[in-house]
Amino acid sequence: MIFIGVCFLTLGVLFGTPRTATISYEVITDGAASSLMQKIIFSAAFFGLAGATLAKPGKLLEIVGFFLSPIKYGLLVTLSLMVSAALAVLGLNSLTAMAVPVLCAIYPAALVVVALGIVRKWTEVPTNLYQLLFYSALAVGIMSLFVKS
């Protein structure tokens, strides 16, 4: 469960979502020099608008013309938006520099989980073998961070 949470946070809230604001900001400013305060204001406005849009999916339906089913949001969405806005001010290079080691560490274990999920459709995989393969892949991923290429 913790691994799934780490994957979710890494791919979404901690790196993926902040990139949406960072890339938008860099496209708008066309790479011009800007202050940290400008990035903070833009990120707050960007994720404030995103949060307002998520809070009223019916309005988004009217504006965009797509169907969105109602979803419960609450604290998790608000917290995700706040963390994403805070991380977005770091800039794309900083986000990428932080994301790559984390993704390299968890990627082998994620592949094992997917592969075993597929294999489990045809054969029984003992729990202890599943755990051994998962933790071994996770260890390899983490150790790969310390190997110089």
Side-chain angles (χ1 to χ4, degrees):
M1 187 61 112
I2 292 172
F3 180 73
I4 292 170
V6 169
C7 286
F8 173 77
L9 290 172
T10 300
L11 297 175
V13 175
L14 298 178
F15 302 114
T17 306
R19 284 187 62 196
T20 60
T22 301
I23 290 172
S24 300
Y25 182 79
E26 290 182 8
V27 166
I28 290 170
T29 61
D30 196 27
S34 57
S35 70
L36 179 61
M37 186 52 70
Q38 289 170 321
K39 291 179 182 178
I40 290 171
I41 292 168
F42 181 85
S43 293
F46 183 90
F47 286 108
L49 181 60
T53 303
L54 289 171
K56 301 284 185 180
K59 295 293 181 188
L60 183 62
L61 175 64
E62 293 173 15
I63 296 168
V64 180
F66 292 106
F67 176 77
L68 295 176
S69 60
I71 300 172
K72 292 183 181 179
Y73 294 103
L75 182 62
L76 182 60
V77 170
T78 303
L79 182 61
S80 296
L81 290 170
M82 291 171 61
V83 169
S84 295
L87 290 173
V89 302
L90 297 175
L92 187 57
N93 291 338
S94 296
L95 280 173
T96 303
M98 290 187 320
V100 168
V102 175
L103 292 173
C104 287
I106 65 172
Y107 192 66
L111 287 176
V112 166
V113 169
V114 170
L116 289 175
I118 293 169
V119 169
R120 279 189 163 180
K121 291 180 180 181
W122 296 291
T123 185
E124 183 66 29
V125 179
T127 303
N128 57 352
L129 178 60
Y130 189 94
Q131 291 172 343
L132 174 68
L133 292 172
F134 170 78
Y135 287 116
S136 296
L138 186 61
V140 167
I142 291 171
M143 286 188 296
S144 74
L145 298 176
F146 301 102
V147 175
K148 293 184 181 182
S149 48

